[in-house]
Amino acid sequence: MPPAASLPAITDQRLACLAALEQKVLWLSVWMIHHANHLREKRDGLKVGGHQASSASVATLMTALYFDVLNPEDRVAVKPHASPVFHAIQYLLGRQTRANLERFRALGGAQSYPSRTKDADDVDFSTGSVGLGVAMTSFAAMVRDYLARKDRIREPLARGRMIALAGDAEFDEGNIFEAMLEGWKHDVRNLWWVIDYNRQSLDACISDRIFQRLDSVFHGMDWKVVTLKYGTLLERAFAQRGGDALRVWIDECPNTRYSALAYKGGAAWREQLRHDLGDTSGIREILDEHDDRSLQRLMTNLAGHDMTSILDAFHGATDDRPTCFIAYTIKGFGLPFAGHKDNHAGMMTPEQVDAFRRSNGIEAGDEWEPWAGLDIPADELESYIRSVPFARPAERRFAAPLVPVPAAFEPATTDTMSTQQGFGRLLADIARAHPELADHIVTTAPDVTVSTNLGGWVNKRGIFDAADRSDTFKDERIASAQHWAMSPGGQHIELGIAESNLFILLAALGLAGPLFGSRLLPIGTVYDPFIARGLDALNYACYQDARFILVGTPSGVSLAPEGGAHQSIYTPLIGMGQPGLTSFEPAYMDELSEILRWSFEHLQEERGGSVYLRLSTRPIAQVARPMAPALRADVLAGGYWLEPPSAAADLAIVACGAVLPEAIEAHRQLSEDLESVGLLVVTSPDRLERDWRAALTSSAGDSHAERLLDRLPRTAGIVSVLDGHPATLSWLGAVKQHRVLPLGVDRFGQSGDIPDLYRVHGLDADAILGAAAKLVVGG
Ligand SMILES: Cc1ncc(C[n+]2csc(CCOP(=O)(O)OP(=O)(O)O)c2C)c(N)n1
Ligand SMILES: [Mg+2]
């Protein structure tokens, strides 16, 4: 593709600088991995690893991007195994230290896979779990457009390209295709996916026909596809006599054979080509013109290693259509194991690295020197680097202003309501009474907007869309509770049913502040069991320190007749176990109101995080009480005594969430016979447990769990109960050595109404009474 006329010419001097930088980037990547594996003290007998072959595969593409093509407003997700290349580039840009490179894969050093949170250099998107980084760029493009269409960000940020540099085997991950379809629905723009098409994955060479499939998938989604197949040397050879036959031969060469020949080198190419094409006119001349070394160079001259072809392609993509570059490359290019099918974890031997150092003209001892061994003087390279667009001083990590959170919400309440209903009322109250907060909220759901009670909010704030579209049903005067007008001002992003997309969108929305300088407070709703469908993406979002509120509803078996297959059992354990996510499972509306308020603050704290609210559709009788400061503090800390035990109590019930009515009923019946049974309401098993463990190893004083359980005599037993896995609360026995009989759910799949299901799973008042009897009498 020809370069656009207005672009600076690709001068020989520019190409020479880029060639030198590419050489250096590859060397530093190889050396960084070698150093970590062979030259650092080893204390545990484990290999350190690193990916020299995967790095070599993208050295040209990444050199082109960072030292020529990228602008500061562009954002890149670098394929996980190119981390050394990324860090080497950052080092040459002066944004990464030598000490960190020397500590590649060591604690605090340059990370194995690019990490926003753990790396010291300028990582835009973490990668590591293949496929997620690729999808992330599409959702980040969506978020950029969301902000731009509301005039929250301006040029050049509003046009910054979101770029994924993907391994070809990443396209085995279905999440990428889910993201593509969603991106197509939302008409994403300024999105590039650059595929490092080395035709190898971890285990092997990949299927020959993948490229054609990918090509048609991208076209089907209205993407532009730019295929970078042959470099300038090969193109020149193709123009010679016999060149057509040579092209056909390469085009038809199976991946495995091409890789094997690339590994074996010039003599092997010669033998094979003589055998296959020896009688074709012109081929012998082409072979005779090349010695083994230059024949290897010619036959491996794929466009993904050809700077001119790459620059032409990147600079030629001047419109905003999503564009996929399929760049043919060779895994391990320029290294001794180039093309070998086992090279993914392959590591050059010390002898090979030494030979490579010498071929790079680097003296022993100068391995980390940025400019050692290059043909171009250091000052010339330094001045080139200063001149590249990406090196322009520009903010790349923004600190967005805080959004004030009101002191209290005042939602409409009724005597009996579910937490899911309460959540809907709270959002409606915020939309009406707290416009500043509301303006920063963005909601999203994977086709469960109505059934998770976001409908009221959407009626008020509208659906986000690139264009203004009225609600046809409303226009046609058809009665409906949902008014789904769409506009660029809308604040709800409606997704198709793909939970992985929900979490990656939440990751992108939750990074709007640092990425684009405009803070968003994202809320995503999902049926609680289907959190598991997107779990890796949720982990990915948390790992990047994206800030969002996740609402899982309905949850547990309490959704009752709605279906056994929709029951969630161990999500409370996910809430406890997932780093970066604080979970709550309130029972009452007034608790939820405080928790939501706290969540908006927690999202914005420097050392805050995301929040998961496990809610229920079960309506329960509310308690009428003022939210006194002490109660508020307890609710937020994870629990409070609804009925405090007396000093002589034999028993306490500890209950969390939707089963509160059963706990209250059991408590009432027990209190007829027993001395002051306690009833403890747990609002957050997660906060209680985390705080308790932290206190065990610090001198900060008692934890909230200790303070609560101090009121219960040691000899008393505890019956814990929740609509979730019993392990969620059974640890309470370790706090003050109370005997605990944990009730909960450890099976799923049976539909029924609440009385039946609570009986079957042992959550009803009778089950609590039975457990209490066992503790008190049966010992
Ligand atoms: C979700 C996930 N599954 C498995 C892996 C392990 N893994 C790491 S790299 C890789 C193959 C990558 O191949 P490709 O994307 O083609 O990269 P390249 O050839 O450039 O190394 C696999 C399976 C992973 N990182 N993430
Ligand atoms: Mg590959």
Side-chain angles (χ1 to χ4, degrees):
M1 185 176 300
S6 60
L7 292 166
I10 305 177
T11 59
D12 288 348
Q13 195 239 2
R14 185 165 147 213
L15 276 179
C17 286
L18 286 168
L21 290 168
E22 177 189 349
Q23 180 187 337
K24 183 54 72 177
V25 161
L26 178 58
W27 160 255
L28 283 171
S29 310
V30 167
W31 179 248
M32 196 183 310
I33 296 167
H34 178 73
H35 181 272
N37 282 274
H38 294 277
L39 302 175
R40 260 198 336 241
E41 188 201 358
K42 275 225 180 81
R43 298 181 300 180
D44 52 13
L46 288 182
K47 83 162 189 174
V48 178
H51 300 87
Q52 288 170 334
S54 302
S55 294
S57 190
V58 282
T60 330
L61 289 163
M62 285 181 66
T63 302
L65 280 174
Y66 281 91
F67 293 117
D68 193 289
V69 177
L70 292 183
N71 291 311
E73 64 273 15
D74 298 330
R75 301 280 180 185
V76 190
V78 173
K79 71 169 188 171
H81 305 84
S83 176
V85 182
F86 173 78
H87 295 306
I89 289 172
Q90 293 280 315
Y91 177 58
L92 297 179
L93 284 165
R95 296 173 186 182
Q96 176 60 291
T97 63
R98 172 172 162 178
N100 279 341
L101 299 192
E102 287 179 346
R103 296 185 52 69
F104 174 59
R105 295 192 160 211
L107 187 66
Q111 297 292 298
S112 324
Y113 309 118
S115 169
R116 262 192 81 80
T117 47
K118 304 288 185 279
D119 266 315
D121 48 8
D122 196 11
V123 175
D124 291 324
F125 303 114
S126 300
T127 55
S129 176
V130 299
L132 297 182
V134 182
M136 180 69 175
T137 55
S138 181
F139 288 105
M142 214 183 278
V143 173
R144 179 206 56 212
D145 293 348
Y146 178 92
L147 294 170
R149 295 207 164 104
K150 291 179 172 59
D151 277 336
R152 296 260 194 92
I153 56 170
R154 300 188 189 287
E155 302 283 326
L157 268 187
R159 230 172 358 100
R161 290 166 293 195
M162 301 296 123
I163 301 175
L165 195 60
D168 44 4
E170 295 199 61
F171 285 78
D172 287 331
E173 292 285 5
N175 83 277
I176 291 187
F177 300 94
E178 294 176 358
M180 270 175 97
L181 188 58
E182 202 58 60
W184 173 82
K185 288 187 215 162
H186 285 89
D187 194 24
V188 287
R189 300 272 135 187
N190 289 312
L191 173 67
W192 284 9
W193 286 356
V194 181
I195 304 179
D196 173 9
Y197 189 54
N198 59 26
R199 302 167 311 288
Q200 278 185 252
S201 60
L202 191 159
D203 285 335
C205 295
I206 62 179
S207 163
D208 288 315
R209 293 170 304 124
I210 288 278
F211 151 72
Q212 294 153 14
R213 290 299 101 205
L214 282 182
D215 193 77
S216 57
V217 169
F218 277 104
H219 277 120
M221 298 279 183
D222 288 345
W223 283 56
K224 199 162 70 186
V225 178
V226 179
T227 302
L228 284 150
K229 191 161 186 186
Y230 296 120
T232 36
L233 295 179
L234 270 173
E235 290 291 0
R236 222 175 287 148
F238 295 154
Q240 284 179 240
R241 202 155 56 86
D244 284 345
L246 183 64
R247 180 197 283 271
V248 171
W249 184 89
I250 304 184
D251 279 345
E252 291 178 354
C253 185
N255 286 341
T256 42
R257 160 136 337 135
Y258 184 88
S259 294
L261 290 170
Y263 174 69
K264 286 167 94 177
W269 288 113
R270 191 177 306 281
E271 195 185 325
Q272 190 72 47
L273 288 170
R274 264 205 200 121
H275 176 270
D276 294 351
L277 296 180
D279 297 337
T280 308
S281 117
I283 290 294
R284 267 180 198 281
E285 286 77 355
I286 293 177
L287 292 178
D288 290 346
E289 280 165 20
H290 293 84
D291 61 13
D292 282 355
R293 215 182 138 84
S294 70
L295 187 60
Q296 165 79 346
R297 216 169 134 229
L298 173 71
M299 293 303 290
T300 58
N301 178 236
L302 299 183
H305 298 298
D306 190 276
M307 190 58 81
T308 313
S309 309
I310 294 173
L311 294 182
D312 281 353
F314 284 160
H315 288 301
T318 48
D319 63 17
D320 65 0
R321 229 173 115 189
T323 302
C324 167
F325 299 89
I326 301 179
Y328 278 71
T329 57
I330 293 175
K331 196 155 169 172
F333 185 73
L335 304 180
F337 41 49
H340 196 294
K341 71 183 175 60
D342 302 337
N343 64 11
H344 184 81
M347 193 84 65
M348 284 160 72
T349 63
E351 294 72 31
Q352 287 174 327
V353 171
D354 211 46
F356 190 51
R357 173 181 63 73
R358 278 183 272 112
S359 74
N360 272 278
I362 298 168
E363 300 289 333
D366 282 351
E367 290 89 350
W368 296 110
E369 288 307 315
W371 316 122
L374 300 177
D375 291 339
I376 301 180
D379 55 350
E380 201 176 309
L381 283 169
E382 280 169 358
S383 102
Y384 177 81
I385 286 186
R386 276 196 302 275
S387 76
V388 304
F390 189 69
R392 275 200 309 269
E395 211 171 345
R396 297 198 87 250
R397 266 195 193 220
F398 296 92
L402 293 176
V403 180
V405 179
F409 298 133
E410 273 116 31
T413 53
T414 41
D415 292 345
T416 300
M417 55 195 304
S418 70
T419 44
Q420 175 177 311
Q421 208 180 353
F423 165 72
R425 300 256 177 109
L426 276 162
L427 276 189
D429 173 58
I430 293 170
R432 183 187 51 79
H434 305 288
E436 190 178 358
L437 175 65
D439 286 349
H440 288 85
I441 291 175
V442 52
T443 57
T444 180
D447 201 24
V448 291
T449 300
V450 175
S451 49
T452 57
N453 270 55
L454 275 178
W457 161 266
V458 174
N459 283 346
K460 291 196 174 57
R461 292 279 163 164
I463 301 217
F464 172 69
D465 197 276
D468 280 302
R469 297 175 215 272
S470 60
D471 182 334
T472 310
F473 276 72
K474 191 173 173 213
D475 295 347
E476 297 288 337
R477 295 172 198 272
I478 300 172
S480 165
Q482 314 298 331
H483 303 303
W484 280 28
M486 301 180 178
S487 76
Q491 285 181 245
H492 174 77
I493 301 179
E494 180 70 9
L495 294 174
I497 325 167
E499 286 72 17
S500 179
N501 280 344
L502 169 74
F503 292 115
I504 305 178
L505 175 58
L506 286 174
L509 291 166
L511 287 173
L515 284 177
F516 302 113
S518 180
R519 190 185 296 273
L520 290 173
L521 300 170
I523 301 177
T525 63
V526 62
Y527 289 1
D528 201 54
F530 303 132
I531 286 177
R533 175 79 78 112
L535 205 47
D536 193 31
L538 168 63
N539 184 47
Y540 177 71
C542 292
Y543 178 56
Q544 305 206 60
D545 201 22
R547 303 294 180 81
F548 54 87
I549 296 173
L550 168 65
V551 177
T553 185
S555 62
V557 298
S558 302
L559 58 76
E562 276 207 56
H566 285 188
Q567 293 163 351
S568 66
I569 309 306
Y570 53 82
T571 42
L573 298 176
I574 292 172
M576 292 172 82
Q578 177 61 53
L581 190 69
T582 300
S583 63
F584 292 89
E585 183 162 355
Y588 297 119
M589 178 67 186
D590 58 354
E591 298 168 2
L592 177 60
S593 181
E594 291 304 321
I595 289 166
L596 190 61
R597 215 198 60 77
W598 179 90
S599 302
F600 287 126
E601 282 174 352
H602 187 62
L603 255 51
Q604 303 189 66
E605 281 160 6
E606 178 82 24
R607 301 173 71 85
S610 291
V611 177
Y612 160 38
L613 307 177
R614 188 174 190 254
L615 305 185
S616 172
T617 40
R618 181 184 189 196
I620 66 174
Q622 300 293 302
V623 278
R625 59 188 171 188
M627 185 47 75
L631 176 60
R632 173 182 296 130
D634 283 358
V635 164
L636 297 176
Y640 61 92
W641 286 107
L642 188 61
E643 299 288 348
S646 76
D650 292 322
L651 189 78
I653 300 170
V654 178
C656 177
V659 296
L660 243 291
E662 282 63 32
I664 290 171
E665 173 57 20
H667 179 269
R668 189 189 62 74
Q669 292 190 32
L670 285 166
S671 300
E672 288 171 3
D673 303 322
L674 290 173
E675 180 75 19
S676 307
V677 174
L679 175 54
L680 181 72
V681 177
V682 172
T683 48
S684 171
D686 182 23
R687 292 210 89 196
L688 267 190
E689 195 265 353
R690 209 178 310 174
D691 173 50
W692 165 64
R693 268 186 305 111
L696 290 177
T697 52
S698 89
S699 51
D702 283 355
S703 62
H704 189 55
E706 284 168 292
R707 284 191 299 274
L708 288 170
L709 294 181
D710 259 342
R711 298 184 63 172
L712 188 66
R714 293 287 158 87
T715 49
I718 292 176
V719 178
S720 65
V721 59
L722 80 159
D723 181 1
H725 198 280
T728 310
L729 294 173
S730 61
W731 59 273
L732 283 169
V735 178
K736 291 285 174 187
Q737 285 75 51
H738 292 102
R739 282 170 305 142
V740 173
L741 207 157
L743 303 180
V745 184
D746 58 7
R747 287 159 294 139
F748 89 110
Q750 180 76 56
S751 301
D753 64 6
I754 283 190
D756 275 347
L757 289 182
Y758 279 17
R759 189 184 69 254
V760 166
H761 291 285
L763 304 178
D764 58 6
D766 283 349
I768 298 172
L769 293 172
K774 199 151 178 39
L775 280 173
V776 176
V777 188

